[in-house]
């Protein structure tokens, strides 16, 4: 990684952050959806308190995943409308830098939503959620989701079905991350001793590394013109 | 007609004699596969001893597991096709990818259905939400998504490129099926072959390979048939079909434009 690569990467990410700072469109969309989602889950699971405590990790992660898909779809649509992707491709910067820059943006949005969501869930479900290990699971989990999402969101731009196709393509591929992340945060949220949490976090980091390598290598093929 | 064929980029055509040798080889392979299936069924249903716990129900295993590995081989072919297409941009690799996915789905469905039939008497349910079963179903859905992605893109070059990318990413779902029952301790799906990292005390319906006479042999034969012969034969047929369809398409375009 040269300095030029890093500079291009940061420039791409900064472009996304600036657009978001001006419109606040993605974060409000994702945030509102997440709030509604956990409220709906909380009503749906109201009947049984122990069951609710056990599934709280799963609820958190399903919500984050769906919110990410929503954000990715909207973000890609915004790029298409503004011709942003074409401009990025014309710019004399490596494709890897575009991927990394978009990834930083997507990751930051998903992670922010997760971090905002955790204390709210902590209050709604009365569980001690604000722990460093939960934040660790959030960081690693949203990184994995954002990595896969960055490639797949670029992929659906050329399809006829567009927005409706992303969940179908993304849910099965993001499943490994979802499982590991909810396993890692599940026990932590209930406060029960979760001896496996460290192992799941390690597995999550490993998965992120694999996805980063594979998706980073494939992104260039997705965005090339042809 | 010959001129039309020569004009199309796909028809870097084999000479006629070579094509005929290919057809003969395919016919021989097909017949071999059919006999292989029959012989495999004979070994599994007749020769292998009856399982002392599960009775004859256990015999479905001779098709259940090998068909999963056949699906894995086909999905693996799709990955190879995807990587090679992205490197070389030759259409034949994309054809291999498509054929691999379709045949993989077919074999994975054989695997799922035989599993459900086996589970009814052994687990007393057609389906439970066991991690491995769920992962297997998700694998099938992932590749169904692959086919949807293909059908959703009009530009043929974009379609091939994107299908290659998704075909490579989708293979993670196959790895999930292999890894999940080995790391999640709550599965009741037995692990018969290969290493186990967290031994599941809940596993219901496993068996010893050496327990009864002919079990290993029946499994070996069916492995060769379902993991290699059937996927390879079907792949070959599917690729040949696709090539013919492409040629018809090219000739149609040629006829319409002249």
């Amino acid at each position: 990684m040269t300095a030029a690569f890093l500079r291009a990467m940061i420039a791409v990410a900064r472009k996304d952050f600036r657009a978001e700072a001006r419109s606040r469109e993605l974060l409000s969309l994702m945030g509102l959806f997440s709030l509604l989602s956990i409220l709906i889950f909380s009503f749906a699971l109201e009947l049984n308190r122990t069951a609710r405590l056990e599934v709280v990790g799963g609820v958190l992660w399903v919500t984050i995943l769906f919110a990410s898909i929503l954000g990715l779809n909207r973000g890609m649509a915004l790029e298409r409308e503004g011709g942003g992707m074409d401009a990025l491709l014309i710019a004399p910067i490596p494709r890897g830098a575009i991927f990394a820059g978009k990834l930083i943006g997507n990751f930051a949005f998903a992670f922010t939503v997760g971090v905002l969501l955790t204390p709210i869930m902590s209050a709604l479900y009365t569980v001690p959620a604000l722990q460093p290990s939960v934040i660790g699971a959030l960081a690693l989990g949203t990184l994995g989701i954002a990595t896969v999402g960055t490639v797949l969101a670029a992929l659906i731009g050329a399809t006829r079905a567009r927005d409706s196709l992303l969940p179908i393509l993304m849910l099965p591929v993001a499943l490994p991350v979802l499982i590991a992340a909810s396993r890692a945060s599940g026990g932590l949220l209930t406060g029960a001793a979760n001896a496996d949490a460290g192992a799941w976090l390690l597995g999550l980091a490993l998965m992120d590394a694999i996805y980063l390598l594979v998706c980073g290598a494939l992104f260039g093929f997705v965005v090339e013109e042809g | 007609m010959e001129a039309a064929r020569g004009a199309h980029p796909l028809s870097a055509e084999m000479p006629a004699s070579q094509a005929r040798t290919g057809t003969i080889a395919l016919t021989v392979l097909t017949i071999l596969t059919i006999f292989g299936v029959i012989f495999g069924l004979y070994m599994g249903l007749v020769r292998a001893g009856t399982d002392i716990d599960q009775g004859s129900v256990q015999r479905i295993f001779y098709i259940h597991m090998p068909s999963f590995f056949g699906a894995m081989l086909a999905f693996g072919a799709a990955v190879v096709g995807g990587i090679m297409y992205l490197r070389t941009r030759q259409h034949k690799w994309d054809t291999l990818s498509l054929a691999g996915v379709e045949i993989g789905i077919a074999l994975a469905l054989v695997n799922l259905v035989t599993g459900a039939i086996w589970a009814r008497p052994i687990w007393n349910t057609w389906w439970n939400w066991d991690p491995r079963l769920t992962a297997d179903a998700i694998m099938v859905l992932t590749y169904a998504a692959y086919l949807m992605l293909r059908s959703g893109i009009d530009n043929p070059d974009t379609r091939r490129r994107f299908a290659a990318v998704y075909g490579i990413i989708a293979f993670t779902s196959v790895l999930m099926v292999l890894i999940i029952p080995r790391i999640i301790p709550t599965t009741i799906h037995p692990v018969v072959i290969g290493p186990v990292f967290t031994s599941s005390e809940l596993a219901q319906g496993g068996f010893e390979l050496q327990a009864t006479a002919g079990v290993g042999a029946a499994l070996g034969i069916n492995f060769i048939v379902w993991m290699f012969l059937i996927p390879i034969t079907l792949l070959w047929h599917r690729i040949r079909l696709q090539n013919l369809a492409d040629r018809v398409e090219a000739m149609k375009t040629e006829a319409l434009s002249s």
Side-chain angles (χ1 to χ4, degrees), chain B:
Chain B
M1 189 176 139
E2 284 300 313
R5 201 189 289 175
H8 187 256
L10 259 182
S11 38
E13 278 284 332
M14 299 184 258
S17 62
Q18 207 180 326
R20 207 171 302 128
T21 324
T23 316
I24 292 170
L26 180 56
T27 313
V28 171
L29 188 63
T30 309
I31 293 169
L32 195 67
T33 308
I34 293 170
F35 277 112
V37 172
I38 296 169
F39 185 56
L41 284 176
Y42 165 75
M43 288 297 287
L45 296 178
V46 182
R47 282 299 298 276
T50 308
D51 190 89
I52 208 161
D53 291 328
Q54 305 178 32
S56 281
V57 183
Q58 179 266 338
R59 294 176 192 276
I60 207 166
F61 178 82
Y62 299 124
I63 288 174
H64 175 65
M65 195 175 75
S67 66
F68 172 77
F69 282 96
M72 199 175 83
L73 183 95
F75 290 142
V79 173
V80 172
I83 293 173
M84 289 309 289
Y85 177 76
L86 290 177
R87 288 174 69 105
T88 65
R89 304 300 160 114
Q90 287 171 344
H91 295 178
K92 62 177 180 184
W93 293 113
D94 178 61
T95 310
L96 174 67
S97 238
L98 174 62
V101 168
E102 287 184 357
I103 285 142
I105 289 178
L107 284 167
L109 284 178
V110 168
N111 173 251
L112 268 183
V113 171
T114 50
I117 294 170
W118 174 85
R120 184 73 183 98
I122 301 296
W123 292 344
N124 200 24
T125 172
W126 295 107
W127 184 266
N128 62 16
W129 292 101
D130 186 73
R132 177 165 250 183
L133 273 61
T134 313
D136 201 47
I138 284 170
M139 176 183 85
V140 175
L141 291 177
T142 313
Y143 283 98
Y146 170 95
L147 293 179
M148 277 201 72
L149 176 70
R150 280 194 85 101
S151 64
I153 306 174
D154 293 325
N155 181 335
D157 280 327
T158 316
R159 179 170 61 225
R160 294 190 190 99
R161 192 153 45 91
F162 283 14
V165 169
Y166 194 67
I168 295 168
I169 297 180
F171 197 71
T172 48
S173 66
V174 181
L175 300 179
M176 284 291 287
V177 180
L178 290 176
I179 295 169
I180 273 190
R182 293 181 162 81
I183 56 171
I184 294 184
T186 52
T187 181
I188 66 170
H189 192 291
V191 175
V192 176
I193 284 180
V196 187
F197 302 117
T198 310
S199 71
S200 174
E201 246 112 82
L202 305 166
Q204 301 277 324
F207 62 91
E208 295 290 324
L209 276 183
Q210 279 79 32
T212 37
V215 171
L219 190 60
I221 298 289
N222 277 298
F223 244 101
I224 294 170
V225 173
W226 286 88
M227 185 175 174
F228 296 108
L229 280 181
I230 290 180
I232 289 171
T233 311
L234 288 178
L235 274 174
W236 195 337
H237 275 290
R238 182 66 185 86
I239 290 169
R240 184 168 163 272
L241 179 68
Q242 188 64 35
N243 287 341
L244 290 174
D246 284 348
R247 205 201 292 167
V248 168
E249 198 57 39
M251 285 163 76
K252 221 192 273 174
T253 320
E254 184 81 12
L256 285 174
S257 62
S258 64

Side-chain angles (χ1 to χ4, degrees), chain A residues 5-26:
Chain A
F5 182 96
L6 282 177
R7 228 177 305 126
M9 176 182 90
I10 290 166
V12 172
R14 256 178 55 194
K15 173 192 87 64
D16 283 355
F17 287 139
R18 188 171 300 163
E20 181 56 28
R22 285 180 188 160
S23 68
R24 293 190 195 82
E25 186 173 346
L26 291 181

Side-chain angles (χ1 to χ4, degrees), chain A residues 155 160 169 172-173 221-222 224, chain B residues 89 151-152 154 161-162 166:
Chain A
L155 206 72
R160 258 182 281 122
L169 293 183
V173 181
F221 293 109
V222 174
E224 78 184 29
Chain B
R89 304 300 160 114
S151 64
D154 293 325
R161 192 153 45 91
F162 283 14
Y166 194 67

